[in-house]
Amino acid sequence: MSQRQVLQVFEQYQRARMQFVQAVAEFAARPQYIDTLQDAGVMTLLRPLLLDVIPNIQQTAALALGRLANYNDALAEAVVKGDILPQILCSLSEQNRFYKKAAAFVLRAVGKHSPQLAQSVVQCGALEMLVICLEDFDPGVKEAASWALGYIARHNSELSQAVVDAGAIPLLVLCIQEPEIALKRIAASTLSDISKHSPELAQTVVDAGAIAHLAQLILNPDAKLKRQVLSALSQIAKHSVELAELVVEAEIFPVVLTCLKDSDEYVKKNGATLIREIVKHTPELSQLIVNAGGVAAVIDCIGSCRGTVRLPGIMMLGYVAAHSENLSMAVIVSKGIPPLCACLIEEQEDHIKAAAAWALGQIGRHTPEHACAVAVANVLPILLSLYMDTRSSEDLQIKTKRALKNILQKCTYLPALEQLLHDAPPNIIKHIVGQFSKVLPHDSKARRLFVTTGGLKKVQEIKAEPGSLLQEYINTIKNCYPEEIVR
C-alpha cells in the first residue's frame, strides 16, 4: 500500500467521524429522534470524540452531548454516569472559543434539571473552569459560562454558595458592564439566581458593587435586559430592611416607575415586584415610595393589565395599606379601591382574587372612615359571594372571610351592612349585627331607616343561641325601640 493510499484511508476516517458527529448533533436537536439515538448507545460513541485530534469534531461532539443532556434528566444522568463530564473539562483551558462555548452548554444542560445533577457538575470541578471562562476575551464564552453558573446557582443556597466560593461574583459584575446586551442579560440573571436564596448571598452580591451597575441599566431600551435587572434588584431587596434601603439609595426612584408603563408585560411585572419587595419592610420605606408617586403608578399598572402581571401590584397596595392609617388613606385617595374591586370580578385565577381580597382587607381595617371607603365601592357583597361560592378555593375563602371580618369590624356605613343582612351566613352575620348594635343606640335617623327598610324585622328573625354574643347584639338593637315597634 502506497503512502498516498494510507493518507486516503485516514482522510476517509476523518470525514466519516465528522459526518457522524454532525448528523448526531442535528438529530439531537429534534425531539422525535432522541429515543432512537439513546437506544443506539450514542453517548458511548460520542465520548471518545471529545478527545479527538480534530478540534471541529470535539466541538460538534460536545454540542451533540449538550443537546441530548438538555432534553431530559434521564439523558443528563447518562452523561454523568458515562463519566463524560471530566472528559469535557479535560482540555478546556487550552481549547478554542467554540469548544469552550459547547463545553459550557453541556455543563448547563446537565446542571439545569435538578440539584443532584447540578451537584455532579460541581463535584467534577466545573465551577473553577467556568469562572476561568468568565475572564475569556470572547463575549460568547463569558455568556455561556455565566449561563451555566446561573443554572447551577438557581437550585438552592448550597449550590449558590459554591458558585460564590469559586469567585464568580466579581467577574459577573464586570460582565454586566460589558457592551454586549446578551452578556449583560445572562450576567444579571445569574446575579438574580444567586441573590434569591438568602440575605448572606444577596449581601455578597451587594459587596461586589452590583447594585449601582444594575440600577444604571433600568433605563436600557432592551426589554429582556430590564426584566433581568429588575428581577436581580428584587431578589436583593426582598431579604431585609438594610438591603432594601441599599437598593433605594441607588436612586432607582422615580426611574423604576417608568417600567410600570412598559409595553413588555414581564418588565411591568418585575418592576411592580421590585416596588413590592421594598414597601413590605417598613412604613418609612412605604412612605418614600408613596412620596415618589409609586402608589398612583402601581394603580395605573393594575388597571392597564390582566392576569398574573397584576399580582405584585395588588400585593404592593396591600403591604402599603397594612403599615398605617395614613398610608392606607394614601391608597384610598389615589383611587386604589376600584381597580382592586375589578380584580375580584374580572380575574379567573383564585390566587389573584385572594390577593385582591387581602389587600382590600388591609385598606379597610384601620378606622370607620377606611372601612366606609371600601364599603361605598360595593366591595362587601362581592367578597361575601366569593366566600360563599363552593367553587372558590380554600385559600380564597379564608382570605375573603378575613377581609370581610377586618372591614366589618370597623364599618359604620349602615346601607352597606344592611345589604349583607339577608345573605350572610351565621359566622359573618354576628359581625354585621355587632356593628348595628354599636351605631343604632346613638343615631336616631339610622334607627328610623332601619325600621322602614325591614332591617329590624330581619334582625329579629335571626336565630341566635341564648346567652351568645349574637343574642346580646340583637337585644341591644331591640332595646333601641319602643315595645310596639319591636312587635
Side-chain angles (χ1 to χ4, degrees):
M1 191 184 275
S2 70
Q3 202 169 353
R4 189 163 162 226
Q5 284 173 312
V6 171
L7 287 172
Q8 275 177 338
V9 169
F10 273 107
E11 272 174 27
Q12 282 172 342
Y13 176 51
Q14 186 180 316
R15 248 199 318 275
R17 296 197 317 278
M18 193 68 220
Q19 282 170 343
F20 168 74
V21 82
Q22 281 175 339
V24 171
E26 278 177 37
F27 289 136
R30 297 172 192 171
Q32 67 266 35
Y33 297 124
I34 297 285
D35 291 339
T36 315
L37 289 171
Q38 201 175 356
D39 296 342
V42 74
M43 297 275 185
T44 323
L45 298 171
L46 286 171
R47 186 172 178 255
L49 296 177
L50 289 169
L51 297 177
D52 199 277
V53 289
I54 309 294
N56 213 345
I57 291 173
Q58 286 184 331
Q59 287 147 225
T60 316
L63 177 66
L65 283 163
R67 284 175 177 171
L68 290 164
N70 198 41
Y71 183 68
N72 63 27
D73 52 352
L75 284 163
E77 191 103 29
V79 169
V80 174
K81 285 187 176 150
D83 231 11
I84 288 167
L85 294 180
Q87 208 115 351
I88 289 271
L89 296 169
C90 184
S91 54
L92 187 61
S93 50
E94 302 102 61
Q95 291 285 5
N96 66 22
R97 63 199 169 110
F98 301 108
Y99 182 81
K100 286 176 183 173
K101 279 194 267 191
F105 173 50
V106 177
L107 298 170
R108 174 184 117 208
V110 172
K112 79 171 194 179
H113 295 288
S114 69
Q116 293 74 24
L117 284 163
Q119 189 60 49
S120 305
V121 174
V122 173
Q123 278 166 346
C124 74
L127 293 183
E128 291 70 21
M129 299 309 294
L130 287 169
V131 169
I132 291 167
C133 287
L134 284 180
E135 296 186 84
D136 201 273
F137 71 93
D138 182 81
V141 173
K142 289 180 188 173
E143 191 189 322
S146 178
W147 210 337
L149 289 165
Y151 270 51
I152 293 164
R154 69 174 49 174
H155 291 294
N156 58 41
S157 53
E158 289 77 21
L159 286 161
S160 220
Q161 189 62 53
V163 171
V164 171
D165 295 341
I169 288 181
L171 296 168
L172 289 166
V173 173
L174 286 173
C175 287
I176 57 173
Q177 300 167 63
E178 294 280 354
E180 291 79 17
I181 290 288
L183 178 55
K184 285 179 191 284
R185 282 182 202 154
I186 302 299
S189 167
T190 303
L191 289 169
S192 176
D193 285 328
I194 293 168
S195 304
K196 73 181 180 183
H197 300 290
S198 70
E200 294 74 25
L201 285 161
Q203 189 64 54
T204 318
V205 172
V206 172
D207 292 342
I211 291 178
H213 297 295
L214 289 166
Q216 286 171 355
L217 295 172
I218 294 172
L219 280 174
N220 193 289
D222 184 77
K224 287 180 182 169
L225 175 58
K226 276 194 281 197
R227 291 177 194 175
Q228 302 302 347
V229 165
L230 293 165
S231 168
L233 290 168
S234 304
Q235 299 292 9
I236 293 167
K238 76 178 184 183
H239 293 292
S240 68
V241 180
E242 294 72 29
L243 288 167
E245 283 171 348
L246 287 171
V247 172
V248 171
E249 282 163 19
E251 297 181 357
I252 61 166
F253 290 99
V255 178
V256 168
L257 304 182
T258 60
C259 297
L260 302 179
K261 291 189 170 71
D262 203 275
S263 56
D264 185 278
E265 299 277 81
Y266 289 100
V267 171
K268 276 187 188 177
K269 189 179 180 182
N270 292 2
T273 303
L274 171 55
I275 299 168
R276 178 193 76 194
E277 298 298 3
I278 292 168
V279 300
K280 75 178 186 187
H281 292 293
T282 64
E284 293 73 26
L285 282 167
S286 275
Q287 190 62 58
L288 202 107
I289 308 296
V290 170
N291 296 347
V295 166
V298 166
I299 290 166
D300 285 348
C301 178
I302 293 171
S304 69
C305 53
R306 295 284 177 276
T308 52
V309 182
R310 282 175 152 176
L311 194 56
I314 294 169
M315 301 285 288
M316 179 269 186
L317 294 180
Y319 280 129
V320 171
H323 284 305
S324 71
E325 288 178 22
N326 289 346
L327 286 164
S328 181
M329 196 46 80
V331 176
I332 293 168
V333 171
S334 301
K335 300 188 170 49
I337 294 172
L340 288 172
C341 187
C343 292
L344 291 177
I345 299 163
E346 294 166 359
E347 289 301 332
Q348 303 299 313
E349 300 282 338
D350 277 9
H351 68 280
I352 302 174
K353 292 181 184 179
W358 169 79
L360 287 161
Q362 298 307 316
I363 294 168
R365 73 183 176 85
H366 295 285
T367 69
E369 197 184 349
H370 291 81
C372 179
V374 177
V376 168
N378 207 30
V379 168
L380 298 175
I382 301 167
L383 288 172
L384 182 63
S385 70
L386 286 170
Y387 168 59
M388 293 175 71
D389 190 337
T390 50
R391 293 165 302 178
S392 293
S393 67
E394 188 185 353
D395 180 55
L396 178 55
Q397 288 180 327
I398 291 168
K399 296 280 196 318
T400 45
K401 181 187 172 186
R402 205 171 287 158
L404 275 168
K405 193 175 159 188
N406 283 344
I407 299 160
L408 289 171
Q409 284 174 337
K410 294 292 179 188
C411 186
T412 54
Y413 180 66
L414 300 188
L417 295 175
E418 214 167 314
Q419 229 181 330
L420 304 186
L421 264 181
H422 302 279
D423 305 315
N427 60 343
I428 302 290
I429 276 280
K430 78 169 180 222
H431 299 298
I432 300 167
V433 175
Q435 290 308 101
F436 278 114
S437 74
K438 287 180 200 167
V439 177
L440 291 173
H442 314 291
D443 190 334
S444 56
K445 188 182 170 194
R447 283 201 295 276
R448 278 199 303 279
L449 267 173
F450 197 55
V451 175
T452 54
T453 56
L456 181 61
K457 181 171 181 285
K458 176 65 191 162
V459 164
Q460 291 189 81
E461 288 166 2
I462 295 169
K463 291 179 171 53
E465 293 281 320
S468 66
L469 197 56
L470 179 55
Q471 188 61 59
E472 267 181 54
Y473 293 150
I474 294 169
N475 292 342
T476 307
I477 293 167
K478 283 159 75 173
N479 291 340
C480 298
Y481 296 94
E483 186 64 35
E484 63 273 17
I485 291 180
V486 172
R487 272 207 307 277

